[in-house]
Amino acid sequence: MTPATINQTAQQTTEQVEKNLVNVTERVTATNGELPKDHHKHFMINLQETEQLALLKRFTLDFHADPDLASLSEEDAQFFYERGFLPEKARLYGLNRDNIDRYLSDVQRWLTRLVNGPYSVVFNNKILFDQVFGQYCNVPRTVAVCRQGRVIPHTDLWQQIEAGQAGPLMLVAKPLGGGGGGSVYFIRIDKRHAVVETNDAINPRFSVKAEALGEVFSRQRVPFIINEYVQQGEFSKRLYPLTVNTVRALVVRNATTGEPYLVRAVLRVGNSESYPIDNFSLGGLSIEVNKETGELGYAVAAAGRFTGQRWATHPDTGERITGAYIPNWQSYKNKLLTLFRELPYLQYCGFDLILQDDDFVVLEGNSYSQVRLFQMHEPLLLDKGYGRFLNEKGLLAK
């Protein structure tokens, strides 16, 4: 499919749009828990607002950059583009013409970033996230921020580190804005020395003097935040002890009642592909979680050598996955929903939780949560509560 073909599709006239719409009597509104036939195409055609069109431009660029595009016929590529899905979803979801209506599209997922309006800034800056969420729940404690050649200490611990008087302890450094897990550094400090480990294939492990640690991050191209390392509970640790494994829970707010609604939850677990982090995009596992009981289903991977099959046991440790239960799940779930009630200005959030034995630490929040880790198990639009939320926010075709 050529760029000219895509531009022609994106610029269809209103008359052409009407010809593509199915008979109104054949469509059922999403408010009843059903979805109009071929609703993704209707939604894409009717994108008009400036922010929507800006995201559509990004989608077009990403569509052409997707390596999976080469494996699609021009007809299939056109089909997926017109409905807002990147080519990779054909492989990851088994996406086809018969099941596509059940899945949240890539364009819809990007547009969820607009749902929280100006409050999205809470998620986009980890200092602000720390200060806001830290009033209501446990969050990793900020030790220092590094930017433009400077280190800004947030606790006395940083002065102890520079003086060679700290340790043994562990820290985590990551970019101050955004997410994705791409540049995460784990730092082990013992008095005057620091060993740094990262997922960087070129320089995955190096040592520096503790007094020079700030220079490593203050001279990066983007600002970095350094936090204390959070220890996970025994259950998460047992699955794969070499990474901190996290729950991703998608929570939305019912527009009528104002009550929080847990849409879906998965447990992300690292492995030898994703080490030293659990990141799904880098080969980590996504394990489906029964949101009512905490029972684990199968594990899947989106990248690396563990893709292409469902895992009932961990591929590295052999630890049982399918049929195991997350201890204290109801307590975790209730605390998460209570936290969401404390923040009434938020409408949509993908929470990353480090499960401890009797509580959790909120690692971060995401205003437009990645959905591959959910939808490789089951399409999100099968959840009627989620469908009603999207419909209320204008993210489904009318």
Side-chain angles (χ1 to χ4, degrees):
M1 183 172 54
T2 64
T5 304
I6 289 178
N7 289 335
Q8 183 178 7
T9 300
Q11 297 173 1
Q12 287 182 334
T13 65
T14 303
E15 291 182 355
Q16 289 172 317
V17 170
E18 293 301 322
K19 292 179 182 179
N20 285 329
L21 295 176
V22 296
N23 191 290
V24 174
T25 60
E26 296 178 349
R27 299 174 61 194
V28 183
T29 64
T31 55
N32 292 326
E34 302 294 338
L35 293 165
K37 183 176 176 58
D38 206 15
H39 60 94
H40 288 303
K41 186 173 182 179
H42 309 322
F43 180 77
M44 289 283 287
I45 286 171
N46 286 287
L47 293 177
Q48 296 178 352
E49 297 178 8
T50 301
E51 291 175 311
Q52 293 176 337
L53 295 176
L55 289 172
L56 182 58
K57 179 180 179 180
R58 173 189 165 182
F59 168 72
T60 301
L61 295 173
D62 284 1
F63 190 94
H64 282 289
D66 191 319
D68 281 292
L69 180 60
S71 64
L72 299 179
S73 67
E74 184 160 340
E75 181 182 3
D76 284 343
Q78 180 81 8
F79 178 83
F80 288 130
Y81 177 82
E82 289 177 344
R83 287 153 183 83
F85 288 86
L86 293 173
E88 67 169 10
K89 300 310 187 299
R91 171 176 55 87
L92 296 178
Y93 299 167
L95 199 65
N96 56 53
R97 295 168 188 266
D98 295 327
N99 64 18
I100 195 169
D101 282 345
R102 305 170 189 169
Y103 288 89
L104 188 77
S105 74
D106 291 293
V107 169
Q108 286 171 313
R109 178 245 164 174
W110 284 333
L111 287 171
T112 59
R113 70 164 63 197
L114 306 177
V115 169
N116 288 317
Y119 299 110
S120 291
V121 68
V122 175
F123 304 113
N124 298 333
N125 185 295
K126 291 180 171 59
I127 291 291
L128 188 56
F129 180 85
D130 183 352
Q131 294 176 343
V132 173
F133 276 76
Q135 300 179 62
Y136 306 103
C137 64
N138 296 324
V139 298
R141 189 165 67 130
T142 301
V143 177
V145 172
C146 307
R147 65 169 85 211
Q148 298 177 337
R150 296 179 58 222
V151 178
I152 305 169
H154 278 239
T155 70
D156 293 339
L157 178 59
W158 187 256
Q159 283 87 352
Q160 296 173 28
I161 292 171
E162 289 188 316
Q165 298 172 354
L169 79 156
M170 285 190 65
L171 304 173
V172 180
K174 61 180 71 174
L176 182 58
S183 301
V184 180
Y185 297 81
F186 294 90
I187 307 161
R188 189 181 302 274
I189 295 175
D190 188 3
K191 300 297 182 182
R192 295 194 173 278
H193 295 89
V195 177
V196 183
E197 199 164 16
T198 180
N199 54 334
D200 185 345
I202 299 175
N203 192 19
R205 182 183 175 93
F206 58 92
S207 299
V208 296
K209 291 184 177 180
E211 62 195 49
L213 186 61
E215 188 174 337
V216 172
F217 298 104
S218 62
R219 300 194 182 281
Q220 298 273 357
R221 290 181 297 175
V222 297
F224 265 72
I225 184 171
I226 300 178
N227 296 118
E228 288 188 342
Y229 179 86
V230 177
Q231 295 287 350
Q232 64 189 330
E234 286 302 314
F235 177 78
S236 298
K237 188 176 182 180
R238 188 168 67 245
L239 291 173
Y240 189 72
L242 300 182
T243 60
V244 177
N245 307 308
T246 56
V247 166
R248 168 66 63 87
L250 181 61
V251 182
V252 301
R253 190 175 303 280
N254 184 298
T256 303
T257 67
E259 282 296 292
Y261 174 66
L262 177 61
V263 179
R264 193 76 61 82
V266 296
L267 176 61
R268 294 182 301 191
V269 176
N271 53 45
S272 54
E273 283 286 290
S274 67
Y275 178 84
I277 57 178
D278 66 346
N279 190 271
F280 187 56
S281 298
L282 299 176
L285 301 177
S286 167
I287 304 171
E288 57 184 337
V289 177
N290 183 311
K291 66 179 182 179
E292 303 301 333
T293 67
E295 182 179 10
L296 301 185
Y298 287 91
V300 297
R305 59 192 175 95
F306 297 125
T307 56
Q309 59 182 298
R310 302 164 78 201
W311 295 88
T313 59
H314 193 283
D316 290 318
T317 65
E319 189 70 28
R320 178 192 177 201
I321 294 174
T322 305
Y325 285 82
I326 297 177
N328 303 316
W329 174 253
Q330 289 300 328
S331 175
Y332 294 138
K333 178 180 174 181
N334 291 338
K335 287 181 179 179
L336 179 62
L337 297 181
T338 298
L339 170 62
F340 204 74
R341 290 188 186 98
E342 296 282 357
L343 302 163
Y345 46 85
L346 296 183
Q347 305 293 314
Y348 190 102
C349 183
F351 289 96
D352 288 345
L353 311 175
I354 301 175
L355 301 184
Q356 299 181 311
D357 291 332
D358 56 2
D359 203 352
F360 59 71
V361 174
V362 180
L363 184 61
E364 61 182 43
N366 302 271
S367 61
Y368 63 113
S369 173
Q370 178 59 264
V371 297
R372 294 186 306 171
L373 71 175
F374 299 123
Q375 295 200 122
M376 284 183 66
H377 299 293
E378 186 178 67
L380 273 170
L381 297 186
L382 291 180
D383 189 297
K384 293 183 179 181
Y386 187 56
R388 285 190 290 270
F389 175 85
L390 295 174
N391 186 63
E392 290 162 352
K393 301 302 178 183
L395 294 178
L396 287 178
K398 299 293 186 181

